[in-house]
Amino acid sequence: MKILHKPANFDAKLSHSIELLQKSEALALRYYDKGFYLAFSGGKDSQALYHVTELAGVKFEAHYSLTTLDPPELVRFIRANYPSVFVDRSEMTFAQLCLKKKALPTMPMRFCCAVLKETKGAGTVTLTGVRRAESVQRSHRNEAEILTRRKDDKFTGTLEQFDQFTRTKEVEGVQCVRGNDKIVINPIIDWSEADVWYFLNNVAKVNHCELYDRGWRRIGCLFCPMASQKEIARQGGDYPKYKALIMRTIHRLRENGYMNCYTDLTDAEVFRWWVSKKGIKQWYAENKKQYKLFSDEEINGL
């Protein structure tokens, strides 16, 4: 995406991001001798984060977490353009994780991201490319946060802005963080999408992943519970091998009796429910009890 004109306040935002990184580097080095742990996804925001961190001249180590549902184009892009990024493999594949959890991930129960991505960087000062403008949920995020890992692998908890820190508060913050916790810094949290594209095209002057040119607005795992039905339908057509993996996982969940009282659902019906974003009770009532089943053509088209 080309942004020809510099967005308003861009220089001030860039300067603030660099200052925040430089100000918090000493804290990062207390946790990890390599400095910051930079969570890299290969998307535009993490690219901007990567190059802003380079401009700041601070120590960092970038990591990309493979989930086994990664778009091949994205993996190739990272390997070709960011060879210094560490590619980390999870102990479990997506399918193995679903069988362990005895379920498919959903929007309210997104354990896939929590286990395969968010557990990485525990015990470090982690950098992310989160921006408030991305969503209502992210609009409440802070520049700096302490996140505590819970038993369900999710991280919760927040820390006040670094600009409000005194040295005493900073030291106390370090002492209270345990091995499974991490401090998260979001240096570009107040950037707009226009800021990101202007920076990549005119300051960093780097390429972006080809998926953006094919209409993707956000780049992440295939068949993500957060993706729309339209996006998942397109992915099913573009990546049939990955859809087959999802279908095999559904079949194994059904084989092991993990569908509770919905044992009469077929693999295709479970998939259709999963991508509908509806609760299983609601979907079952609308599509089984009322006999409003989709045709085979409609189901196979997803």
Side-chain angles (χ1 to χ4, degrees), residues 73 96 103 132 189 210 217 252 276:
E73 298 91 339
Q96 290 169 339
R132 290 192 178 107
I189 194 165
E210 65 187 79
R217 293 298 305 274
R252 291 186 65 187
S276 72

Side-chain angles (χ1 to χ4, degrees), residues 6-129:
K6 182 185 294 187
N9 301 320
F10 172 80
D11 290 337
K13 291 179 183 179
L14 176 58
S15 295
H16 178 76
S17 298
I18 290 173
E19 182 183 0
L20 176 63
L21 287 162
Q22 293 172 341
K23 187 175 181 179
S24 51
E25 182 185 23
L27 181 61
L29 288 169
R30 295 184 192 180
Y31 285 90
Y32 186 42
D33 61 3
K34 304 294 184 182
F36 294 105
Y37 178 102
L38 191 150
F40 190 78
S41 70
K44 65 183 189 305
D45 296 332
S46 70
Q47 279 188 271
L49 171 67
Y50 182 97
H51 293 290
V52 168
T53 307
E54 281 191 326
L55 284 178
V58 297
K59 292 187 69 174
F60 73 97
E61 192 174 78
H63 289 256
Y64 174 71
S65 299
L66 278 174
T67 65
T68 65
L69 284 180
D70 312 85
E73 298 91 339
L74 177 61
V75 177
R76 289 195 296 266
F77 171 76
I78 293 172
R79 293 189 185 279
N81 293 274
Y82 295 90
S84 64
V85 172
F86 290 86
V87 178
D88 300 330
R89 295 181 180 274
S90 176
E91 295 179 359
M92 287 183 289
T93 66
F94 172 81
Q96 290 169 339
L97 179 60
C98 290
L99 291 172
K100 178 182 177 180
K101 296 290 187 178
K102 302 181 180 181
L104 292 167
T106 59
M107 290 181 69
M109 191 176 68
R110 198 158 46 100
F111 57 78
C112 48
C113 195
V115 174
L116 300 177
K117 287 187 176 182
E118 293 171 1
T119 54
K120 306 296 191 298
T124 71
V125 177
T126 299
L127 301 179
T128 82

Side-chain angles (χ1 to χ4, degrees), residues 11-297:
D11 290 337
K13 291 179 183 179
L14 176 58
S15 295
H16 178 76
S17 298
I18 290 173
E19 182 183 0
L20 176 63
L21 287 162
Q22 293 172 341
K23 187 175 181 179
S24 51
E25 182 185 23
L27 181 61
L29 288 169
R30 295 184 192 180
Y31 285 90
Y32 186 42
D33 61 3
K34 304 294 184 182
F36 294 105
Y37 178 102
L38 191 150
F40 190 78
S41 70
K44 65 183 189 305
D45 296 332
S46 70
Q47 279 188 271
L49 171 67
Y50 182 97
H51 293 290
V52 168
T53 307
E54 281 191 326
L55 284 178
V58 297
K59 292 187 69 174
F60 73 97
E61 192 174 78
H63 289 256
Y64 174 71
S65 299
L66 278 174
T67 65
T68 65
L69 284 180
D70 312 85
E73 298 91 339
L74 177 61
V75 177
R76 289 195 296 266
F77 171 76
I78 293 172
R79 293 189 185 279
N81 293 274
Y82 295 90
S84 64
V85 172
F86 290 86
V87 178
D88 300 330
R89 295 181 180 274
S90 176
E91 295 179 359
M92 287 183 289
T93 66
F94 172 81
Q96 290 169 339
L97 179 60
C98 290
L99 291 172
K100 178 182 177 180
K101 296 290 187 178
K102 302 181 180 181
L104 292 167
T106 59
M107 290 181 69
M109 191 176 68
R110 198 158 46 100
F111 57 78
C112 48
C113 195
V115 174
L116 300 177
K117 287 187 176 182
E118 293 171 1
T119 54
K120 306 296 191 298
T124 71
V125 177
T126 299
L127 301 179
T128 82
V130 166
R131 293 185 298 108
R132 290 192 178 107
E134 289 182 277
S135 66
V136 173
Q137 184 178 6
R138 291 190 171 186
S139 68
H140 303 294
R141 298 287 297 271
N142 294 322
E143 275 189 343
E145 305 163 324
I146 282 184
L147 301 185
T148 301
R149 186 176 178 181
R150 306 185 319 197
K151 290 183 179 180
D152 59 2
D153 291 317
K154 291 183 178 180
F155 282 90
T156 59
T158 62
L159 182 68
E160 61 188 295
Q161 300 285 8
F162 258 87
D163 285 345
Q164 299 171 359
F165 276 11
T166 64
R167 182 168 180 78
T168 301
K169 286 183 180 178
E170 185 175 305
V171 171
E172 289 174 351
V174 174
Q175 292 174 341
C176 78
V177 175
R178 301 178 295 278
N180 282 336
D181 300 347
K182 57 183 175 182
I183 290 180
V184 175
I185 309 293
N186 305 310
I188 64 170
I189 194 165
D190 287 320
W191 287 32
S192 66
E193 185 174 355
D195 291 325
V196 170
W197 283 118
Y198 180 83
F199 175 79
L200 294 178
N201 293 329
N202 300 284
V203 181
K205 297 181 180 179
V206 293
N207 296 324
H208 56 263
C209 181
E210 65 187 79
L211 292 175
Y212 285 115
D213 300 323
R214 287 163 46 182
W216 289 50
R217 293 298 305 274
R218 292 184 181 180
I219 293 181
C221 298
L222 297 171
F223 301 99
C224 175
M226 303 301 289
S228 67
Q229 291 188 58
K230 183 178 179 180
E231 289 172 323
I232 291 178
R234 180 179 61 188
Q235 292 171 8
D238 291 345
Y239 304 96
K241 291 184 179 179
Y242 287 84
K243 182 183 176 182
L245 169 64
I246 298 293
M247 298 305 295
R248 288 196 300 272
T249 302
I250 289 172
H251 186 74
R252 291 186 65 187
L253 287 170
R254 292 182 59 248
E255 270 190 331
N256 285 277
Y258 296 153
M259 291 307 300
N260 298 323
C261 59
Y262 303 100
T263 55
D264 59 325
L265 294 178
T266 65
D267 294 348
E269 288 170 337
V270 173
F271 180 79
R272 185 72 190 194
W273 154 70
W274 186 51
V275 303
S276 72
K277 313 299 180 185
K278 296 180 179 179
I280 183 64
K281 290 183 179 179
Q282 179 185 352
W283 189 94
Y284 189 86
E286 293 174 355
N287 295 274
K288 293 294 285 188
K289 288 186 176 180
Q290 297 180 26
Y291 302 102
K292 294 181 179 178
L293 295 178
F294 291 89
S295 68
D296 291 339
E297 290 79 8

